[in-house]
Amino acid sequence: MHRYINCIEHNSSEGQLVIGEKQTALFDCGMAFCADETINNVQNALAGRKLDYIFMTHTHYDHIGALPFFKNVWPNVQVVTCEAGAAVLLKDTPRKVIRELSLNAARINGVTRDLSYNDETFKADVIVKDGDKIPLGDITVEVLETPGHTRDSLCYFIPEMQLLLLNETPGVLMPDGMMYPCYLTSFNDTIKSIEKCRSIPYKYLSLPHRGIADEKDTDKYFEKALCANVNCRDFILDMKNKNHSEEKMLDLFRIEYYNETLISFQPIEAFLANARATIACTLKEL
């Protein structure tokens, strides 16, 4: 896997580089506050080659907040996402949220550098759909639509490397071994997406915010993901059956999931926004 390089600079950020014979691709570009360091990691890995593609797994700030800074360095890089993702990038409200959460993350991490940019930088260049293939020379990136975390969530499979790059729809495997459920738009879509990913003939998994998984983490990964998401659904339904208010449910959800490990990855503001979405979509699908 020497051509698959982890360029993540901070544990809450992203950035996985694949070097093809003819073209190169970065899967997510990470957080704005550590953009310079991530870019430096990518430049070192490229060793003089240009960056051709940035494949988005979804349009959240911790995955694409650094996009304007990457485009300053590689103005011709092609940003790849699905139709839903392309639509999100053009909307004022998501752009505002990306900016606000990026600035908050910088503050939390003690970063004072200038993070100003033009919102118009957030746009897609290549629109893909499920089953599309983009060649990088001797390897090919295959697109899998896997909604659940967001409606625009994409996973990618590189068959020549037997490598499946996951987004956060199945969940996020934390360093302490806990699988944190991350469905924000649909529990039902999440289960379907997990089954879809499980059917791919992969040998290696690249995990969000982690990179290549150890063999012990790959083993029964999707079974663990299914269990975590079902347990989350059932936890929310149990709170509903006990007639808890929305605020009480949110507080109990925080107590259940926002542990010391997750705190180092996700600010409380982002956690609460996601928790509200998870609770709301679960109740909607009753």
Side-chain angles (χ1 to χ4, degrees), residues 197-245:
C197 288
R198 187 160 65 167
S199 70
I200 299 297
Y202 66 88
K203 181 177 180 181
Y204 305 100
L205 291 177
S206 178
L207 308 183
H209 303 290
R210 291 279 299 274
I212 296 294
D214 295 333
E215 185 175 344
K216 64 178 178 63
D217 290 332
T218 303
D219 184 44
K220 297 184 178 179
Y221 180 88
F222 292 111
E223 288 85 347
K224 193 171 186 177
L226 284 169
C227 183
N229 282 281
V230 169
N231 287 344
C232 180
R233 187 268 319 264
D234 291 347
F235 177 66
I236 294 169
L237 295 185
D238 181 64
M239 290 192 293
K240 177 65 175 177
N241 290 336
K242 291 176 179 177
N243 295 316
H244 289 317
S245 67

mmCIF file of all heavy atoms in Angstrom, residues 197-245:
data_model
loop_
_atom_site.group_PDB
_atom_site.id
_atom_site.type_symbol
_atom_site.label_atom_id
_atom_site.label_comp_id
_atom_site.label_asym_id
_atom_site.label_seq_id
_atom_site.Cartn_x
_atom_site.Cartn_y
_atom_site.Cartn_z
ATOM 1 N N CYS A 197 -21.599 -1.841 1.324
ATOM 2 C CA CYS A 197 -20.146 -1.830 1.503
ATOM 3 C C CYS A 197 -19.628 -3.220 1.852
ATOM 4 O O CYS A 197 -18.561 -3.637 1.390
ATOM 5 C CB CYS A 197 -19.751 -0.844 2.599
ATOM 6 S SG CYS A 197 -19.933 0.890 2.151
ATOM 7 N N ARG A 198 -20.380 -3.934 2.660
ATOM 8 C CA ARG A 198 -19.952 -5.269 3.085
ATOM 9 C C ARG A 198 -19.854 -6.238 1.905
ATOM 10 O O ARG A 198 -19.082 -7.209 1.959
ATOM 11 C CB ARG A 198 -20.914 -5.800 4.148
ATOM 12 C CG ARG A 198 -20.449 -7.098 4.775
ATOM 13 C CD ARG A 198 -21.092 -7.367 6.112
ATOM 14 N NE ARG A 198 -22.529 -7.572 6.038
ATOM 15 C CZ ARG A 198 -23.255 -8.062 7.048
ATOM 16 N NH1 ARG A 198 -22.660 -8.374 8.190
ATOM 17 N NH2 ARG A 198 -24.547 -8.210 6.939
ATOM 18 N N SER A 199 -20.605 -5.968 0.841
ATOM 19 C CA SER A 199 -20.609 -6.862 -0.318
ATOM 20 C C SER A 199 -19.439 -6.615 -1.272
ATOM 21 O O SER A 199 -19.214 -7.402 -2.199
ATOM 22 C CB SER A 199 -21.919 -6.690 -1.099
ATOM 23 O OG SER A 199 -21.963 -5.426 -1.756
ATOM 24 N N ILE A 200 -18.684 -5.544 -1.047
ATOM 25 C CA ILE A 200 -17.561 -5.207 -1.920
ATOM 26 C C ILE A 200 -16.404 -6.176 -1.652
ATOM 27 O O ILE A 200 -16.097 -6.463 -0.489
ATOM 28 C CB ILE A 200 -17.106 -3.753 -1.679
ATOM 29 C CG1 ILE A 200 -18.247 -2.780 -1.984
ATOM 30 C CG2 ILE A 200 -15.870 -3.423 -2.504
ATOM 31 C CD1 ILE A 200 -18.711 -2.782 -3.414
ATOM 32 N N PRO A 201 -15.732 -6.657 -2.694
ATOM 33 C CA PRO A 201 -14.624 -7.612 -2.498
ATOM 34 C C PRO A 201 -13.324 -6.918 -2.077
ATOM 35 O O PRO A 201 -12.309 -6.953 -2.768
ATOM 36 C CB PRO A 201 -14.491 -8.261 -3.875
ATOM 37 C CG PRO A 201 -14.915 -7.197 -4.832
ATOM 38 C CD PRO A 201 -16.046 -6.470 -4.127
ATOM 39 N N TYR A 202 -13.341 -6.301 -0.909
ATOM 40 C CA TYR A 202 -12.177 -5.576 -0.421
ATOM 41 C C TYR A 202 -11.260 -6.504 0.377
ATOM 42 O O TYR A 202 -11.675 -7.547 0.899
ATOM 43 C CB TYR A 202 -12.621 -4.413 0.476
ATOM 44 C CG TYR A 202 -13.274 -4.852 1.762
ATOM 45 C CD1 TYR A 202 -12.520 -5.105 2.904
ATOM 46 C CD2 TYR A 202 -14.659 -5.041 1.839
ATOM 47 C CE1 TYR A 202 -13.117 -5.530 4.079
ATOM 48 C CE2 TYR A 202 -15.257 -5.464 3.015
ATOM 49 C CZ TYR A 202 -14.487 -5.710 4.122
ATOM 50 O OH TYR A 202 -15.071 -6.153 5.279
ATOM 51 N N LYS A 203 -10.013 -6.097 0.482
ATOM 52 C CA LYS A 203 -9.069 -6.717 1.405
ATOM 53 C C LYS A 203 -8.664 -5.721 2.479
ATOM 54 O O LYS A 203 -8.434 -6.089 3.628
ATOM 55 C CB LYS A 203 -7.826 -7.211 0.661
ATOM 56 C CG LYS A 203 -6.807 -7.898 1.558
ATOM 57 C CD LYS A 203 -5.625 -8.427 0.757
ATOM 58 C CE LYS A 203 -4.605 -9.123 1.668
ATOM 59 N NZ LYS A 203 -3.441 -9.631 0.896
ATOM 60 N N TYR A 204 -8.602 -4.436 2.070
ATOM 61 C CA TYR A 204 -8.184 -3.376 2.984
ATOM 62 C C TYR A 204 -9.301 -2.351 3.142
ATOM 63 O O TYR A 204 -10.016 -2.051 2.186
ATOM 64 C CB TYR A 204 -6.924 -2.670 2.461
ATOM 65 C CG TYR A 204 -5.768 -3.602 2.191
ATOM 66 C CD1 TYR A 204 -5.493 -4.028 0.896
ATOM 67 C CD2 TYR A 204 -4.961 -4.062 3.230
ATOM 68 C CE1 TYR A 204 -4.442 -4.891 0.638
ATOM 69 C CE2 TYR A 204 -3.901 -4.915 2.983
ATOM 70 C CZ TYR A 204 -3.650 -5.331 1.687
ATOM 71 O OH TYR A 204 -2.606 -6.181 1.443
ATOM 72 N N LEU A 205 -9.425 -1.812 4.340
ATOM 73 C CA LEU A 205 -10.374 -0.744 4.613
ATOM 74 C C LEU A 205 -9.623 0.504 5.021
ATOM 75 O O LEU A 205 -8.711 0.451 5.854
ATOM 76 C CB LEU A 205 -11.325 -1.135 5.748
ATOM 77 C CG LEU A 205 -12.362 -2.235 5.501
ATOM 78 C CD1 LEU A 205 -13.140 -2.492 6.778
ATOM 79 C CD2 LEU A 205 -13.294 -1.855 4.370
ATOM 80 N N SER A 206 -10.031 1.648 4.446
ATOM 81 C CA SER A 206 -9.547 2.936 4.918
ATOM 82 C C SER A 206 -10.679 3.577 5.704
ATOM 83 O O SER A 206 -11.770 3.787 5.169
ATOM 84 C CB SER A 206 -9.134 3.842 3.753
ATOM 85 O OG SER A 206 -8.707 5.101 4.247
ATOM 86 N N LEU A 207 -10.415 3.874 6.964
ATOM 87 C CA LEU A 207 -11.451 4.363 7.859
ATOM 88 C C LEU A 207 -11.389 5.870 8.002
ATOM 89 O O LEU A 207 -10.302 6.462 7.971
ATOM 90 C CB LEU A 207 -11.297 3.726 9.242
ATOM 91 C CG LEU A 207 -11.191 2.203 9.295
ATOM 92 C CD1 LEU A 207 -11.121 1.739 10.738
ATOM 93 C CD2 LEU A 207 -12.351 1.551 8.562
ATOM 94 N N PRO A 208 -12.543 6.528 8.161
ATOM 95 C CA PRO A 208 -12.549 7.984 8.346
ATOM 96 C C PRO A 208 -11.755 8.399 9.578
ATOM 97 O O PRO A 208 -11.873 7.783 10.642
ATOM 98 C CB PRO A 208 -14.042 8.330 8.479
ATOM 99 C CG PRO A 208 -14.719 7.036 8.811
ATOM 100 C CD PRO A 208 -13.903 5.967 8.178
ATOM 101 N N HIS A 209 -10.929 9.420 9.401
ATOM 102 C CA HIS A 209 -10.076 9.976 10.454
ATOM 103 C C HIS A 209 -9.023 8.989 10.961
ATOM 104 O O HIS A 209 -8.388 9.243 11.978
ATOM 105 C CB HIS A 209 -10.917 10.472 11.638
ATOM 106 C CG HIS A 209 -11.946 11.488 11.281
ATOM 107 N ND1 HIS A 209 -11.621 12.774 10.898
ATOM 108 C CD2 HIS A 209 -13.298 11.418 11.221
ATOM 109 C CE1 HIS A 209 -12.724 13.444 10.625
ATOM 110 N NE2 HIS A 209 -13.757 12.648 10.806
ATOM 111 N N ARG A 210 -8.807 7.889 10.236
ATOM 112 C CA ARG A 210 -7.860 6.881 10.698
ATOM 113 C C ARG A 210 -6.861 6.457 9.638
ATOM 114 O O ARG A 210 -5.677 6.276 9.927
ATOM 115 C CB ARG A 210 -8.614 5.634 11.183
ATOM 116 C CG ARG A 210 -9.416 5.807 12.451
ATOM 117 C CD ARG A 210 -8.566 5.697 13.694
ATOM 118 N NE ARG A 210 -7.943 4.396 13.805
ATOM 119 C CZ ARG A 210 -8.537 3.323 14.366
ATOM 120 N NH1 ARG A 210 -9.778 3.421 14.824
ATOM 121 N NH2 ARG A 210 -7.894 2.181 14.463
ATOM 122 N N GLY A 211 -7.336 6.244 8.409
ATOM 123 C CA GLY A 211 -6.500 5.636 7.382
ATOM 124 C C GLY A 211 -6.683 4.127 7.365
ATOM 125 O O GLY A 211 -7.707 3.597 7.809
ATOM 126 N N ILE A 212 -5.677 3.406 6.852
ATOM 127 C CA ILE A 212 -5.780 1.963 6.705
ATOM 128 C C ILE A 212 -6.003 1.302 8.061
ATOM 129 O O ILE A 212 -5.288 1.552 9.028
ATOM 130 C CB ILE A 212 -4.507 1.386 6.056
ATOM 131 C CG1 ILE A 212 -4.339 1.928 4.632
ATOM 132 C CG2 ILE A 212 -4.563 -0.143 6.020
ATOM 133 C CD1 ILE A 212 -5.397 1.480 3.667
ATOM 134 N N ALA A 213 -7.008 0.442 8.111
ATOM 135 C CA ALA A 213 -7.351 -0.241 9.356
ATOM 136 C C ALA A 213 -6.408 -1.400 9.607
ATOM 137 O O ALA A 213 -5.944 -2.070 8.671
ATOM 138 C CB ALA A 213 -8.789 -0.752 9.291
ATOM 139 N N ASP A 214 -6.129 -1.645 10.875
ATOM 140 C CA ASP A 214 -5.399 -2.845 11.257
ATOM 141 C C ASP A 214 -6.274 -4.057 10.967
ATOM 142 O O ASP A 214 -7.500 -3.964 10.885
ATOM 143 C CB ASP A 214 -5.056 -2.814 12.748
ATOM 144 C CG ASP A 214 -4.100 -1.682 13.098
ATOM 145 O OD1 ASP A 214 -3.327 -1.275 12.210
ATOM 146 O OD2 ASP A 214 -4.155 -1.208 14.248
ATOM 147 N N GLU A 215 -5.623 -5.205 10.855
ATOM 148 C CA GLU A 215 -6.363 -6.430 10.560
ATOM 149 C C GLU A 215 -7.418 -6.713 11.624
ATOM 150 O O GLU A 215 -8.526 -7.145 11.322
ATOM 151 C CB GLU A 215 -5.398 -7.610 10.458
ATOM 152 C CG GLU A 215 -6.069 -8.904 10.025
ATOM 153 C CD GLU A 215 -5.081 -10.028 9.809
ATOM 154 O OE1 GLU A 215 -3.873 -9.739 9.700
ATOM 155 O OE2 GLU A 215 -5.509 -11.193 9.740
ATOM 156 N N LYS A 216 -7.099 -6.409 12.877
ATOM 157 C CA LYS A 216 -8.050 -6.661 13.961
ATOM 158 C C LYS A 216 -9.279 -5.757 13.846
ATOM 159 O O LYS A 216 -10.381 -6.132 14.264
ATOM 160 C CB LYS A 216 -7.380 -6.462 15.318
ATOM 161 C CG LYS A 216 -6.925 -5.045 15.597
ATOM 162 C CD LYS A 216 -6.309 -4.924 16.979
ATOM 163 C CE LYS A 216 -5.802 -3.513 17.234
ATOM 164 N NZ LYS A 216 -6.870 -2.516 17.228
ATOM 165 N N ASP A 217 -9.097 -4.553 13.270
ATOM 166 C CA ASP A 217 -10.224 -3.639 13.097
ATOM 167 C C ASP A 217 -11.034 -3.975 11.854
ATOM 168 O O ASP A 217 -12.242 -3.719 11.797
ATOM 169 C CB ASP A 217 -9.727 -2.190 13.019
ATOM 170 C CG ASP A 217 -9.192 -1.684 14.349
ATOM 171 O OD1 ASP A 217 -9.663 -2.176 15.392
ATOM 172 O OD2 ASP A 217 -8.306 -0.812 14.344
ATOM 173 N N THR A 218 -10.371 -4.531 10.843
ATOM 174 C CA THR A 218 -11.065 -4.910 9.608
ATOM 175 C C THR A 218 -11.991 -6.091 9.852
ATOM 176 O O THR A 218 -13.096 -6.161 9.302
ATOM 177 C CB THR A 218 -10.042 -5.259 8.511
ATOM 178 O OG1 THR A 218 -9.174 -4.144 8.300
ATOM 179 C CG2 THR A 218 -10.742 -5.595 7.200
ATOM 180 N N ASP A 219 -11.544 -7.017 10.683
ATOM 181 C CA ASP A 219 -12.319 -8.220 10.955
ATOM 182 C C ASP A 219 -13.661 -7.857 11.600
ATOM 183 O O ASP A 219 -13.715 -7.189 12.633
ATOM 184 C CB ASP A 219 -11.525 -9.147 11.879
ATOM 185 C CG ASP A 219 -12.242 -10.462 12.123
ATOM 186 O OD1 ASP A 219 -12.755 -11.035 11.146
ATOM 187 O OD2 ASP A 219 -12.290 -10.897 13.280
ATOM 188 N N LYS A 220 -14.725 -8.268 10.971
ATOM 189 C CA LYS A 220 -16.090 -8.050 11.455
ATOM 190 C C LYS A 220 -16.423 -6.557 11.634
ATOM 191 O O LYS A 220 -17.252 -6.196 12.463
ATOM 192 C CB LYS A 220 -16.323 -8.804 12.763
ATOM 193 C CG LYS A 220 -16.213 -10.317 12.602
ATOM 194 C CD LYS A 220 -16.533 -11.045 13.891
ATOM 195 C CE LYS A 220 -16.449 -12.555 13.682
ATOM 196 N NZ LYS A 220 -16.743 -13.310 14.929
ATOM 197 N N TYR A 221 -15.783 -5.712 10.832
ATOM 198 C CA TYR A 221 -16.009 -4.268 10.940
ATOM 199 C C TYR A 221 -17.478 -3.921 10.698
ATOM 200 O O TYR A 221 -18.076 -3.149 11.461
ATOM 201 C CB TYR A 221 -15.127 -3.521 9.936
ATOM 202 C CG TYR A 221 -15.294 -2.024 9.984
ATOM 203 C CD1 TYR A 221 -14.542 -1.242 10.849
ATOM 204 C CD2 TYR A 221 -16.218 -1.380 9.159
ATOM 205 C CE1 TYR A 221 -14.702 0.137 10.917
ATOM 206 C CE2 TYR A 221 -16.391 -0.004 9.218
ATOM 207 C CZ TYR A 221 -15.620 0.743 10.086
ATOM 208 O OH TYR A 221 -15.801 2.101 10.143
ATOM 209 N N PHE A 222 -18.056 -4.480 9.650
ATOM 210 C CA PHE A 222 -19.428 -4.103 9.292
ATOM 211 C C PHE A 222 -20.455 -4.718 10.234
ATOM 212 O O PHE A 222 -21.521 -4.134 10.454
ATOM 213 C CB PHE A 222 -19.709 -4.459 7.838
ATOM 214 C CG PHE A 222 -18.914 -3.617 6.880
ATOM 215 C CD1 PHE A 222 -17.904 -4.162 6.114
ATOM 216 C CD2 PHE A 222 -19.156 -2.255 6.771
ATOM 217 C CE1 PHE A 222 -17.151 -3.371 5.243
ATOM 218 C CE2 PHE A 222 -18.412 -1.455 5.914
ATOM 219 C CZ PHE A 222 -17.408 -2.019 5.148
ATOM 220 N N GLU A 223 -20.146 -5.881 10.798
ATOM 221 C CA GLU A 223 -21.021 -6.433 11.821
ATOM 222 C C GLU A 223 -21.051 -5.503 13.028
ATOM 223 O O GLU A 223 -22.110 -5.246 13.624
ATOM 224 C CB GLU A 223 -20.540 -7.826 12.238
ATOM 225 C CG GLU A 223 -20.768 -8.911 11.198
ATOM 226 C CD GLU A 223 -19.654 -8.980 10.170
ATOM 227 O OE1 GLU A 223 -18.821 -8.033 10.112
ATOM 228 O OE2 GLU A 223 -19.607 -9.971 9.431
ATOM 229 N N LYS A 224 -19.892 -4.982 13.398
ATOM 230 C CA LYS A 224 -19.801 -4.047 14.518
ATOM 231 C C LYS A 224 -20.549 -2.756 14.194
ATOM 232 O O LYS A 224 -21.218 -2.177 15.064
ATOM 233 C CB LYS A 224 -18.334 -3.749 14.811
ATOM 234 C CG LYS A 224 -18.086 -3.040 16.128
ATOM 235 C CD LYS A 224 -16.599 -2.980 16.441
ATOM 236 C CE LYS A 224 -16.354 -2.398 17.824
ATOM 237 N NZ LYS A 224 -14.917 -2.392 18.184
ATOM 238 N N ALA A 225 -20.449 -2.301 12.933
ATOM 239 C CA ALA A 225 -21.152 -1.093 12.513
ATOM 240 C C ALA A 225 -22.663 -1.287 12.587
ATOM 241 O O ALA A 225 -23.399 -0.406 13.063
ATOM 242 C CB ALA A 225 -20.730 -0.707 11.100
ATOM 243 N N LEU A 226 -23.147 -2.422 12.101
ATOM 244 C CA LEU A 226 -24.582 -2.700 12.166
ATOM 245 C C LEU A 226 -25.070 -2.686 13.611
ATOM 246 O O LEU A 226 -26.098 -2.083 13.922
ATOM 247 C CB LEU A 226 -24.877 -4.053 11.518
ATOM 248 C CG LEU A 226 -24.867 -4.117 9.995
ATOM 249 C CD1 LEU A 226 -24.917 -5.565 9.524
ATOM 250 C CD2 LEU A 226 -26.047 -3.340 9.409
ATOM 251 N N CYS A 227 -24.323 -3.323 14.482
ATOM 252 C CA CYS A 227 -24.713 -3.403 15.895
ATOM 253 C C CYS A 227 -24.764 -2.016 16.525
ATOM 254 O O CYS A 227 -25.719 -1.682 17.237
ATOM 255 C CB CYS A 227 -23.735 -4.293 16.636
ATOM 256 S SG CYS A 227 -24.146 -4.543 18.381
ATOM 257 N N ALA A 228 -23.761 -1.187 16.249
ATOM 258 C CA ALA A 228 -23.702 0.152 16.840
ATOM 259 C C ALA A 228 -24.870 1.012 16.387
ATOM 260 O O ALA A 228 -25.460 1.757 17.182
ATOM 261 C CB ALA A 228 -22.379 0.821 16.474
ATOM 262 N N ASN A 229 -25.220 0.928 15.115
ATOM 263 C CA ASN A 229 -26.305 1.754 14.600
ATOM 264 C C ASN A 229 -27.667 1.274 15.079
ATOM 265 O O ASN A 229 -28.542 2.084 15.402
ATOM 266 C CB ASN A 229 -26.250 1.780 13.071
ATOM 267 C CG ASN A 229 -25.180 2.714 12.550
ATOM 268 O OD1 ASN A 229 -25.348 3.921 12.510
ATOM 269 N ND2 ASN A 229 -24.045 2.148 12.153
ATOM 270 N N VAL A 230 -27.857 -0.042 15.150
ATOM 271 C CA VAL A 230 -29.116 -0.577 15.678
ATOM 272 C C VAL A 230 -29.272 -0.206 17.151
ATOM 273 O O VAL A 230 -30.359 0.192 17.596
ATOM 274 C CB VAL A 230 -29.181 -2.102 15.487
ATOM 275 C CG1 VAL A 230 -30.348 -2.700 16.278
ATOM 276 C CG2 VAL A 230 -29.320 -2.442 14.004
ATOM 277 N N ASN A 231 -28.190 -0.295 17.903
ATOM 278 C CA ASN A 231 -28.249 0.073 19.318
ATOM 279 C C ASN A 231 -28.593 1.550 19.502
ATOM 280 O O ASN A 231 -29.336 1.920 20.420
ATOM 281 C CB ASN A 231 -26.914 -0.225 20.000
ATOM 282 C CG ASN A 231 -26.697 -1.714 20.212
ATOM 283 O OD1 ASN A 231 -27.628 -2.507 20.136
ATOM 284 N ND2 ASN A 231 -25.464 -2.102 20.486
ATOM 285 N N CYS A 232 -28.044 2.395 18.620
ATOM 286 C CA CYS A 232 -28.351 3.824 18.683
ATOM 287 C C CYS A 232 -29.823 4.065 18.391
ATOM 288 O O CYS A 232 -30.499 4.806 19.114
ATOM 289 C CB CYS A 232 -27.473 4.582 17.693
ATOM 290 S SG CYS A 232 -27.749 6.362 17.676
ATOM 291 N N ARG A 233 -30.328 3.425 17.340
ATOM 292 C CA ARG A 233 -31.753 3.539 17.007
ATOM 293 C C ARG A 233 -32.630 3.113 18.173
ATOM 294 O O ARG A 233 -33.587 3.802 18.549
ATOM 295 C CB ARG A 233 -32.029 2.693 15.756
ATOM 296 C CG ARG A 233 -33.429 2.811 15.131
ATOM 297 C CD ARG A 233 -34.439 1.793 15.647
ATOM 298 N NE ARG A 233 -33.957 0.454 15.836
ATOM 299 C CZ ARG A 233 -34.073 -0.533 14.949
ATOM 300 N NH1 ARG A 233 -34.645 -0.318 13.793
ATOM 301 N NH2 ARG A 233 -33.627 -1.759 15.232
ATOM 302 N N ASP A 234 -32.281 1.975 18.770
ATOM 303 C CA ASP A 234 -33.082 1.447 19.872
ATOM 304 C C ASP A 234 -33.002 2.348 21.108
ATOM 305 O O ASP A 234 -33.996 2.495 21.847
ATOM 306 C CB ASP A 234 -32.624 0.030 20.223
ATOM 307 C CG ASP A 234 -32.967 -0.977 19.133
ATOM 308 O OD1 ASP A 234 -33.768 -0.634 18.244
ATOM 309 O OD2 ASP A 234 -32.423 -2.101 19.188
ATOM 310 N N PHE A 235 -31.840 2.940 21.340
ATOM 311 C CA PHE A 235 -31.674 3.855 22.471
ATOM 312 C C PHE A 235 -32.596 5.064 22.326
ATOM 313 O O PHE A 235 -33.253 5.495 23.278
ATOM 314 C CB PHE A 235 -30.214 4.293 22.549
ATOM 315 C CG PHE A 235 -29.914 5.300 23.624
ATOM 316 C CD1 PHE A 235 -30.027 4.957 24.959
ATOM 317 C CD2 PHE A 235 -29.510 6.591 23.284
ATOM 318 C CE1 PHE A 235 -29.744 5.886 25.957
ATOM 319 C CE2 PHE A 235 -29.220 7.517 24.270
ATOM 320 C CZ PHE A 235 -29.342 7.165 25.616
ATOM 321 N N ILE A 236 -32.669 5.589 21.110
ATOM 322 C CA ILE A 236 -33.535 6.745 20.850
ATOM 323 C C ILE A 236 -35.005 6.361 20.969
ATOM 324 O O ILE A 236 -35.812 7.103 21.559
ATOM 325 C CB ILE A 236 -33.230 7.331 19.454
ATOM 326 C CG1 ILE A 236 -31.816 7.923 19.435
ATOM 327 C CG2 ILE A 236 -34.258 8.384 19.058
ATOM 328 C CD1 ILE A 236 -31.307 8.291 18.068
ATOM 329 N N LEU A 237 -35.366 5.212 20.440
ATOM 330 C CA LEU A 237 -36.758 4.769 20.532
ATOM 331 C C LEU A 237 -37.171 4.528 21.983
ATOM 332 O O LEU A 237 -38.317 4.811 22.373
ATOM 333 C CB LEU A 237 -36.961 3.505 19.703
ATOM 334 C CG LEU A 237 -36.780 3.647 18.191
ATOM 335 C CD1 LEU A 237 -37.127 2.342 17.492
ATOM 336 C CD2 LEU A 237 -37.609 4.793 17.635
ATOM 337 N N ASP A 238 -36.245 4.014 22.773
ATOM 338 C CA ASP A 238 -36.541 3.805 24.187
ATOM 339 C C ASP A 238 -36.803 5.134 24.899
ATOM 340 O O ASP A 238 -37.733 5.234 25.717
ATOM 341 C CB ASP A 238 -35.379 3.073 24.863
ATOM 342 C CG ASP A 238 -35.650 2.802 26.339
ATOM 343 O OD1 ASP A 238 -36.592 2.050 26.639
ATOM 344 O OD2 ASP A 238 -34.910 3.358 27.175
ATOM 345 N N MET A 239 -36.008 6.137 24.571
ATOM 346 C CA MET A 239 -36.238 7.470 25.159
ATOM 347 C C MET A 239 -37.587 8.018 24.733
ATOM 348 O O MET A 239 -38.305 8.639 25.532
ATOM 349 C CB MET A 239 -35.107 8.423 24.758
ATOM 350 C CG MET A 239 -33.770 8.118 25.386
ATOM 351 S SD MET A 239 -32.560 9.453 25.154
ATOM 352 C CE MET A 239 -32.291 9.381 23.366
ATOM 353 N N LYS A 240 -37.942 7.796 23.477
ATOM 354 C CA LYS A 240 -39.242 8.262 22.991
ATOM 355 C C LYS A 240 -40.383 7.558 23.714
ATOM 356 O O LYS A 240 -41.377 8.193 24.113
ATOM 357 C CB LYS A 240 -39.336 8.015 21.476
ATOM 358 C CG LYS A 240 -40.673 8.391 20.859
ATOM 359 C CD LYS A 240 -40.932 9.887 20.954
ATOM 360 C CE LYS A 240 -42.199 10.259 20.224
ATOM 361 N NZ LYS A 240 -42.508 11.717 20.377
ATOM 362 N N ASN A 241 -40.230 6.256 23.895
ATOM 363 C CA ASN A 241 -41.275 5.486 24.576
ATOM 364 C C ASN A 241 -41.443 5.906 26.029
ATOM 365 O O ASN A 241 -42.516 5.699 26.624
ATOM 366 C CB ASN A 241 -40.958 3.992 24.503
ATOM 367 C CG ASN A 241 -41.110 3.438 23.091
ATOM 368 O OD1 ASN A 241 -41.847 3.988 22.279
ATOM 369 N ND2 ASN A 241 -40.399 2.364 22.798
ATOM 370 N N LYS A 242 -40.399 6.489 26.599
ATOM 371 C CA LYS A 242 -40.469 6.979 27.975
ATOM 372 C C LYS A 242 -40.964 8.426 28.030
ATOM 373 O O LYS A 242 -40.975 9.049 29.099
ATOM 374 C CB LYS A 242 -39.105 6.876 28.637
ATOM 375 C CG LYS A 242 -38.668 5.430 28.891
ATOM 376 C CD LYS A 242 -37.263 5.352 29.474
ATOM 377 C CE LYS A 242 -36.871 3.898 29.727
ATOM 378 N NZ LYS A 242 -35.467 3.781 30.223
ATOM 379 N N ASN A 243 -41.369 8.938 26.856
ATOM 380 C CA ASN A 243 -41.957 10.281 26.748
ATOM 381 C C ASN A 243 -41.016 11.398 27.199
ATOM 382 O O ASN A 243 -41.440 12.417 27.740
ATOM 383 C CB ASN A 243 -43.265 10.370 27.540
ATOM 384 C CG ASN A 243 -44.344 9.470 26.975
ATOM 385 O OD1 ASN A 243 -44.534 9.418 25.755
ATOM 386 N ND2 ASN A 243 -45.029 8.749 27.843
ATOM 387 N N HIS A 244 -39.725 11.200 26.954
ATOM 388 C CA HIS A 244 -38.768 12.252 27.268
ATOM 389 C C HIS A 244 -38.942 13.420 26.293
ATOM 390 O O HIS A 244 -39.267 13.215 25.118
ATOM 391 C CB HIS A 244 -37.333 11.739 27.172
ATOM 392 C CG HIS A 244 -36.959 10.790 28.266
ATOM 393 N ND1 HIS A 244 -37.293 10.995 29.585
ATOM 394 C CD2 HIS A 244 -36.253 9.623 28.241
ATOM 395 C CE1 HIS A 244 -36.822 10.002 30.320
ATOM 396 N NE2 HIS A 244 -36.185 9.149 29.523
ATOM 397 N N SER A 245 -38.710 14.609 26.775
ATOM 398 C CA SER A 245 -38.731 15.782 25.899
ATOM 399 C C SER A 245 -37.524 15.735 24.973
ATOM 400 O O SER A 245 -36.561 14.979 25.194
ATOM 401 C CB SER A 245 -38.685 17.065 26.731
ATOM 402 O OG SER A 245 -37.425 17.172 27.393
#
